């Protein structure tokens, strides 16, 4: 089958329009990050594509939890330490994230609500800038995806204090989940494959089956692990339910922050 990979530029609208308008021959599929199919329908409200109606979920590829980290020499060693420090002086406690209304930025909002403490989230234009702010002491905590932070943890610049996954991740079992402190607080970036609505069930079933086979291969699992992503097998129906649940969740979070 052919495929379109959708970037997050302009909320991914341009790519989704192209995929919608492409020839419907049961061979066109879309590889897409979660933000495009969960946040874009709320944030952009495009008139030339209705992502929810014009596409059908085929398969979840993998999930990548957010990570919380502090400067390597910080006296804070656990998430409890972080929240205690934030409560002690919330006016001076700064959380560095990437751009406004991104998943890392909204993760700060969710953590703030769960912990019952105002967290001043400062969105930067890139992961590099937010990391620099923490390493330089201008911010006390950073929230981002695993790949940019883990490199700095291994390089001795940052110290991980929590992962927002459902359970401790393989090869990172020493890092506790945030859910161990705040049950249910799970925040993942994820990637999926969609098909234009009207694609034959047989074609979607074939792609779902082939992806399941590939994602079970040890070398693929290992490669994804390097990106802080792990496969999460589920049926096509389960993926559809998962997508709906995630979309409604993020729409509510965006409303809560008046996005």
């Amino acid at each position: 089958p052919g495929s379109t990979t959708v970037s997050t530029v302009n909320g991914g609208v341009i790519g989704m329009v192209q995929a919608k308008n492409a020839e419907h021959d049961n061979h066109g599929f879309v590889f897409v990050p979660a933000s495009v199919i969960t946040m874009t329908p709320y944030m952009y409200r495009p008139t030339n594509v209705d992502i929810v109606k014009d596409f059908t979920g085929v398969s979840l590829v993998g999930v990548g939890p957010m990570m919380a980290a502090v400067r390597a020499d910080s006296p804070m060693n656990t998430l409890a330490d972080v929240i205690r420090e934030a409560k002690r002086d919330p006016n001076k406690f700064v959380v560095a994230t990437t751009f406004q209304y991104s998943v890392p930025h909204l993760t700060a909002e969710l953590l703030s609500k769960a912990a019952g403490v105002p967290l001043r989230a400062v969105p930067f234009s890139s992961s590099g800038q937010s990391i620099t702010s923490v390493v330089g002491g201008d911010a006390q905590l950073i929230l981002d995806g695993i790949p940019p932070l883990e490199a700095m943890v291994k390089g001795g610049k940052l110290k991980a204090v929590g992962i927002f996954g459902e359970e401790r991740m393989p090869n990172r079992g020493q890092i506790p989940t945030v859910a161990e402190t705040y049950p249910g607080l799970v925040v993942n970036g994820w990637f999926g494959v969609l098909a234009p609505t009207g694609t034959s069930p047989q074609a979607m079933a074939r792609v779902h089956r082939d992806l399941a086979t590939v994602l079970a291969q040890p070398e693929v699992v290992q490669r994804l692990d390097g990106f802080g992503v792990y496969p999460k097998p589920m049926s096509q129906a389960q993926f559809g339910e998962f997508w709906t649940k995630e979309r409604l969740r993020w729409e509510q979070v965006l409303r809560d922050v008046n996005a």
Side-chain angles (χ1 to χ4, degrees):
S3 65
T4 298
T5 300
V6 176
S7 79
T8 57
V9 175
N10 295 320
V13 171
I14 295 173
M16 298 305 286
V17 170
Q18 289 180 330
K20 173 193 173 183
N21 294 334
E23 181 181 0
H24 288 194
D25 58 0
N26 293 318
H27 289 277
F29 294 82
V30 189
F31 176 75
V32 64
S35 61
V36 171
I37 58 175
T38 59
M39 297 182 187
T40 290
Y42 176 82
M43 293 289 289
Y44 289 83
R45 301 186 187 277
T47 58
N48 45 3
V49 63
D50 186 327
I51 293 173
V52 176
K53 292 183 179 179
D54 293 335
F55 293 91
T56 301
V58 176
S59 178
L60 180 67
V61 173
V63 299
M66 295 296 104
M67 177 184 277
V70 297
R71 198 164 77 169
D73 61 356
S74 169
M76 297 179 288
N77 295 304
T78 66
L79 184 62
D81 293 339
V82 168
I83 298 304
R84 187 161 44 247
E85 182 64 19
K87 288 181 176 179
R88 187 182 68 80
D89 197 348
N91 292 325
K92 293 184 178 179
F93 194 92
V94 176
V95 182
T97 72
T98 49
F99 60 93
Q100 192 173 30
Y101 304 137
S102 65
V103 172
H105 181 216
L106 295 175
T107 299
E109 299 293 338
L110 291 170
L111 179 59
S112 175
K113 185 176 180 179
V117 58
L119 295 175
R120 186 158 55 120
V122 177
F124 291 81
S125 61
S126 69
S127 294
Q129 289 183 357
S130 58
I131 289 170
T132 297
S133 72
V134 175
V135 172
D138 295 319
Q140 287 67 54
L141 176 71
I142 183 170
L143 300 175
D144 206 338
I146 290 175
L149 301 190
E150 191 165 58
M152 299 301 288
V153 170
K154 292 179 178 179
K157 300 293 185 180
L158 293 176
K159 175 170 49 179
V161 295
I163 289 180
F164 288 78
E166 293 180 333
E167 56 189 18
R168 296 199 181 197
M169 290 187 70
N171 303 320
R172 300 173 180 87
Q174 78 281 8
I175 306 174
T177 66
V178 174
E180 292 172 33
T181 304
Y182 300 106
L185 185 49
V186 175
V187 187
N188 290 308
W190 50 269
F191 305 89
V193 171
L194 310 183
T197 297
T199 301
S200 77
Q202 293 82 4
M204 290 189 287
R206 183 187 73 244
V207 170
H208 182 278
R209 182 181 63 248
D210 291 347
L211 275 169
T213 299
V214 170
L215 292 169
Q217 296 176 357
E219 59 270 29
V220 175
V221 174
Q222 182 178 5
R223 180 65 171 161
L224 288 175
D225 180 78
F227 298 117
V229 174
Y230 60 94
K232 188 176 176 65
M234 58 178 65
S235 69
Q236 186 180 348
Q238 288 172 329
F239 176 50
E241 294 172 0
F242 173 81
W243 173 16
T244 298
K245 183 178 179 180
E246 285 282 282
R247 177 173 56 81
L248 295 177
R249 178 199 193 188
W250 287 115
E251 285 185 0
Q252 185 59 56
V253 173
L254 288 166
R255 288 192 185 96
D256 289 345
V257 299
N258 296 316

